[in-house]
Amino acid sequence: MKRRAHDKCSIRNGHDRSSSVVARPGTARNAVLALLAVLAVVCVAALMTWLVPTPPRDANVGASRAEVPSAGANGWRVGMLRADGLRIVVSGRSDASAVLDADQFSRPEVRRGYRIAAKIPALLNRLYCWCGCENRGVHRSSLQCFEDRMAEDCAVCLGTAEIAFEMSEKGITDAAKIQAAVDVRWGPRR
């Protein structure tokens, strides 16, 4: 009998033990806070997707962007470090025949970059450029940045050529060593 009286008292005071749903003050506020927390997580995830560059694609000379596969047979993609210390598969022309004439540019640093590309095209053709030009379609090499106007307004393209030229002037011609120096200067920060 005492038990029933206690249960009735509990029900009257809003403490029905048979129900798992208990009305609490501030429930609407808690729901709004939970919704805001979920929105914050979604916004952070979207921001990270926008800030973190997408993995580069394979280089398939002559392929349109739609034809470029996302990864090679072994999972390697352009931009990923290979066992030989390079980030690209060397392909295409390695001479200066398609490098734009440096004299058409007004800024001295741009003219210097295009002149460097004309001096060391084979070396630049072995280097990956961190400028993101592979997002324009097929990415062959750093040399490609000087075969059009890409390098004209790009500190990364010009800086990559400058590093390669300075190292080659010091007698360092190993493309893997030069790529490592380029990676330190222009690669993603960890």
Side-chain angles (χ1 to χ4, degrees):
M1 198 69 151
K2 282 187 175 183
R3 188 167 192 197
R4 282 189 178 169
H6 177 69
D7 287 343
K8 286 180 184 176
C9 183
S10 295
I11 292 171
R12 244 184 279 141
N13 293 329
H15 303 291
D16 181 4
R17 293 180 185 193
S18 65
S19 172
S20 62
V21 178
V22 177
R24 294 183 185 151
T27 303
R29 188 184 82 181
N30 291 343
V32 169
L33 289 175
L35 180 62
L36 288 174
V38 168
L39 286 173
V41 169
V42 169
C43 288
V44 168
L47 184 61
M48 290 305 294
T49 301
W50 181 66
L51 290 176
V52 176
T54 56
R57 298 186 177 267
D58 278 355
N60 287 337
V61 175
S64 71
R65 185 172 173 87
E67 296 169 337
V68 177
S70 61
N74 62 358
W76 178 84
R77 291 180 264 231
V78 169
M80 293 173 69
L81 194 60
R82 297 170 10 133
D84 63 2
L86 299 180
R87 294 185 177 276
I88 61 171
V89 174
V90 179
S91 64
R93 93 180 115 264
S94 61
D95 60 46
S97 62
V99 173
L100 297 182
D101 180 18
D103 292 331
Q104 69 179 304
F105 301 102
S106 60
R107 293 184 7 238
E109 68 274 15
V110 175
R111 283 196 306 268
R112 177 171 169 74
Y114 280 85
R115 285 187 181 120
I116 288 172
K119 287 181 183 177
I120 57 168
L123 183 54
L124 291 180
N125 195 50
R126 300 192 63 182
L127 301 178
Y128 175 78
C129 186
W130 287 99
C131 71
C133 61
E134 73 270 15
N135 295 325
R136 295 181 300 159
V138 177
H139 179 73
R140 190 178 88 244
S141 67
S142 180
L143 179 61
Q144 183 179 0
C145 299
F146 294 92
E147 293 175 346
D148 59 22
R149 299 181 78 92
M150 177 69 191
E152 180 180 16
D153 294 312
C154 183
V156 177
C157 298
L158 296 172
T160 298
E162 191 70 43
I163 290 169
F165 182 70
E166 287 175 4
M167 290 181 76
S168 69
E169 287 291 295
K170 293 176 183 174
I172 302 168
T173 56
D174 180 5
K177 289 180 181 176
I178 296 171
Q179 183 68 65
V182 168
D183 292 353
V184 167
R185 175 64 178 102
W186 299 108
R189 305 290 182 239
R190 301 218 186 253

